[in-house]
Amino acid sequence: MEDTTNVRATVTGIGVCSGIKAGRVYHVTAPIEEPAPGLRLSPREDYDKAAARIAQASDKVQANLEQAAQRATLESTREMLEATATMAADPTLVADAQRRVREDHLVPERAVWEAAHEVTEQFTALGGYFAERTTDIRDIRDRIIASLTGLLAPGLPASDEPYVLVAPDLAPSLAATLDENLVLAIVTDGAGPTSHTAIIANAKGIPAVVAARGATELLAPGSIALVNGSSGIVVNNPTPEELEAALKQSDVVRTFSGEGATKDGHRVQILANVGDPASAAEAAAAGAEGVGLFRTEFCFLDRETAPSVEEQVAEYSAVFEHFPDKKVVIRTLDSGADKPLPFLTFDDEENPALGVRGYRTAERSPELLDQQLQAIATAARANASTDVWVMAPMISTVDETNAFVASCEKHSLNTSGVMIEVPSAALLSGHILATAKFASIGTNDLTQYAMAADRLMGVLANFSDPWQPAVLQLISATCQGALLHSRPVGVCGEAAANPALALVLVGLGVTSLSMSPRAIPEVATALAAVDLEKCRDLARIAVACPTAADARHAVRDALPELTALGL
Ligand code: PEP
Ligand code: MG
């Protein structure tokens, strides 16, 4: 491969979290591969010495994890690293691997692999808490093997200096552990603008560019990258002038407090998307008028077994308490496709995005939905001033809607609604909203299903674009249906975080916008700059366009107000 470390070049993707940052490039390191079975030491080798290397490697892994824990600024990351370090200190795995070296003469890395396999099998059979620890055992295994073989530990780079993270793609579980004080920006070859990697980057406020094809090749480890999370342009080894000019632009700071409204006073609630109590605190601090989407599955992504009702009550309460006298729209578990929850997902599906995901899991595991609604109701009673609304993800039919609303009513959760993420639900909104009290449009999935384009695939980014006129027409249809029953319709997909598109959504009839807390000041500023009638004009312009690019450009051309604001 050509050495691009010192070459000035650009790669363009889709900016998914605004902000301009520059820093040294680090790559996510590849997973450790299984050492070949039966790989043995030669009879001339010193077996005791080979066994001793395993203990040394394990000590080193433990020390590295402890150091990383001390450096971590996010409490959740620190706790996770400390817990892994404690597990790495457990002598059982090392002793078993050493025995395999001495007795079976396996090479140390194979011995560690087999010893870890045995522990994970036992833990899986024990179930519960132990089964949940198997991911940690594999993580420790891989770190010890990496140390034994001179490879880099898989996953995030072990760097003390803040860096630009470049990866083919990032698993949501890895993205969730990113430390925003260490990761300046993210650039991925793959992942679409609506992937959960993009959503997590946004929530953490890390400028990110996704679907930047060729990025991992062009942005070599060690080079300097200038990342613009708005325009999607990444410059490899920029000139000093380019750096200075770009970083100056990033100095404008906006804040929001109060109530969202257009210039002529038409109210549009500005809400936040949250995934756990920490992001709820951030949302409250950002001035959000409430929560428009609480992704409850984000609390339990690393769980092998279902959380108890008590655990759920604790998580939900900890979110509700940040919003006294305000609205929190909590979504029931949305498991499946790129967010599989091991305890609620079926791994035998060929097309998981079209399979038993979202509300559909309730049919196979009705007790989990019931327990969750019980937990939500208990947490809502404990935070009586919070206005708790409940909604189900990925509803496709009127029957599902009626069943969900009835389940909620059993728990006295009377403000129950649905997410509109499937075209059939958008077209049926007039019927659906006869029962459901509100709708929240998930434009990420609505785009995926309207365009038949996997939202995770960077190569399909042109399809995965909420500016697609067909998607806008579906949003319009949803709002028309809602009008029949005077029901509120929010948007909680990433589309709501784009200032220009947010205005189009308001023009289409959307009554609230929910987004990552970081996007709130920009969207609120854009809204306050135009009248409702102007939003309606923009909506008419966008819906009438034949392509997404035409819609985006036509709306931008009609919005000198935003350009003047630097948005
Ligand atoms: C959406 O699909 O737009 C949405 C908000 O839900 P999620 O991104 O969690 O699938
Ligand atoms: Mg969705």
Side-chain angles (χ1 to χ4, degrees):
M1 197 192 295
E2 193 194 343
D3 180 8
T4 54
T5 317
N6 297 310
V7 181
R8 189 201 170 283
T10 61
V11 59
T12 304
I14 298 180
V16 290
C17 179
S18 61
I20 300 172
K21 284 282 161 64
R24 197 172 301 285
V25 168
Y26 278 75
H27 281 194
V28 167
T29 42
I32 295 288
E33 287 185 15
E34 177 178 350
L39 211 55
R40 291 200 155 70
L41 295 161
S42 80
R44 283 190 307 282
E45 297 209 47
D46 182 338
Y47 302 134
D48 284 332
K49 218 165 159 185
R53 285 185 56 227
I54 297 178
Q56 286 154 9
S58 152
D59 288 347
K60 203 160 126 196
V61 165
Q62 189 197 341
N64 285 346
L65 285 165
E66 279 165 358
Q67 279 165 15
Q70 275 166 16
R71 282 196 308 269
T73 45
L74 272 184
E75 200 179 317
S76 53
T77 310
R78 190 176 58 248
E79 281 171 7
M80 190 194 72
L81 289 166
E82 277 168 358
T84 317
T86 310
M87 291 189 79
D90 180 346
T92 330
L93 175 72
V94 171
D96 185 16
Q98 288 183 316
R99 184 188 58 73
R100 289 166 197 266
V101 170
R102 292 199 188 97
E103 292 176 12
D104 306 340
H105 306 163
L106 290 177
V107 296
E109 58 272 28
R110 181 68 204 176
V112 171
W113 186 277
E114 291 190 6
H117 180 70
E118 187 141 330
V119 181
T120 53
E121 294 274 280
Q122 285 165 1
F123 276 25
T124 308
L126 287 170
Y129 169 84
F130 286 99
E132 278 168 32
R133 299 281 77 79
T134 53
T135 315
D136 303 318
I137 304 279
R138 286 191 202 100
D139 183 28
I140 292 162
R141 171 198 73 191
D142 290 352
R143 287 170 190 270
I144 297 178
I145 293 177
S147 171
L148 284 168
T149 53
L151 294 170
L152 286 171
L156 297 176
S159 162
D160 293 342
E161 83 170 326
Y163 57 89
V164 171
L165 184 67
V166 176
D169 197 355
L170 275 183
S173 54
L174 194 60
T177 64
L178 293 181
D179 183 341
E180 60 265 54
N181 293 311
L182 213 47
V183 182
L184 295 166
I186 301 169
V187 184
T188 62
D189 268 304
T194 55
S195 66
H196 286 94
T197 299
I199 292 166
I200 291 170
N202 230 309
K204 289 179 182 259
I206 303 175
V209 174
V210 299
R213 287 164 82 182
T216 39
E217 260 184 49
L218 186 80
L219 306 169
S223 62
I224 299 293
L226 171 62
V227 183
N228 185 327
S230 307
S231 67
I233 297 173
V234 185
V235 185
N236 189 39
N237 291 311
T239 63
E241 296 75 36
E242 276 177 317
L243 264 182
E244 198 186 336
L247 296 175
K248 234 187 227 157
Q249 267 183 37
S250 66
D251 284 346
V252 186
V253 180
R254 285 198 174 86
T255 54
F256 169 73
S257 64
E259 298 189 332
T262 57
K263 196 172 165 190
D264 55 336
H266 170 72
R267 275 283 281 133
V268 179
Q269 278 188 326
I270 303 283
L271 307 168
N273 292 350
V274 306
D276 56 18
S279 54
E282 200 192 326
E289 293 185 57
V291 170
L293 168 63
F294 174 11
R295 289 182 166 98
T296 54
E297 66 281 359
F298 275 23
C299 300
F300 309 113
L301 275 182
D302 57 346
R303 297 281 304 240
E304 295 283 333
T305 53
S308 66
V309 172
E310 292 71 29
E311 282 171 295
Q312 294 187 61
V313 172
E315 290 289 323
Y316 307 157
S317 269
V319 168
F320 295 166
E321 68 195 22
H322 287 289
F323 292 93
D325 303 317
K326 293 194 171 148
K327 159 171 134 182
V328 174
V329 183
I330 181 167
R331 175 173 79 182
T332 55
L333 293 170
D334 184 18
S335 173
D338 65 328
K339 282 181 300 190
L341 294 174
F343 56 89
L344 192 57
T345 307
F346 309 92
D347 51 15
D348 54 348
E349 297 181 336
E350 291 209 6
N351 295 306
L354 302 181
V356 183
R357 61 158 294 207
Y359 179 71
R360 295 174 188 181
T361 58
E363 189 148 321
R364 270 158 87 167
S365 309
E367 72 293 347
L368 282 185
L369 175 66
D370 197 58
Q371 284 165 12
Q372 184 171 27
L373 294 176
Q374 186 191 336
I376 294 171
T378 308
R381 275 195 299 275
N383 296 271
S385 85
T386 306
D387 185 15
V388 176
W389 297 21
V390 192
M391 66 182 178
M394 208 184 158
I395 289 287
S396 319
T397 66
V398 172
D399 289 340
E400 284 177 319
T401 309
N402 295 344
F404 179 69
V405 170
S407 303
C408 290
E409 274 166 5
K410 270 195 225 144
H411 293 275
S412 304
L413 293 165
N414 296 327
T415 315
S416 53
V418 298
M419 285 198 72
I420 303 283
E421 310 191 89
V422 182
S424 64
L427 297 173
L428 289 174
S429 89
H431 295 298
I432 285 179
L433 285 161
T435 323
K437 309 289 184 308
F438 68 97
S440 182
I441 305 177
T443 46
N444 307 334
D445 276 316
L446 185 60
T447 306
Q448 155 162 276
Y449 296 125
M451 302 306 297
D454 187 335
R455 63 193 265 187
L456 297 179
M457 290 181 67
V459 287
L460 299 180
N462 286 341
F463 295 89
S464 301
D465 187 340
W467 284 96
Q468 286 286 350
V471 176
L472 299 177
Q473 287 183 31
L474 288 167
I475 296 171
S476 174
T478 307
C479 294
Q480 300 297 322
L483 264 185
L484 299 176
H485 309 280
S486 305
R487 303 287 199 205
V489 179
V491 169
C492 61
E494 293 306 291
N498 177 305
L501 188 48
L503 301 183
V504 172
L505 297 174
V506 170
L508 288 171
V510 163
T511 55
S512 66
L513 297 164
S514 189
M515 64 206 79
S516 144
R518 318 271 171 155
I520 285 177
E522 289 185 0
V523 171
T525 306
L527 192 63
V530 294
D531 289 339
L532 176 61
E533 205 39 53
K534 172 87 183 225
C535 294
R536 291 188 174 138
D537 284 344
L538 296 171
R540 277 188 283 271
I541 292 173
V543 169
C545 282
T547 72
D550 289 338
R552 186 185 268 115
H553 290 136
V555 167
R556 278 304 320 195
D557 287 349
L559 271 174
E561 297 91 333
L562 294 201
T563 313
L565 287 164
L567 290 171

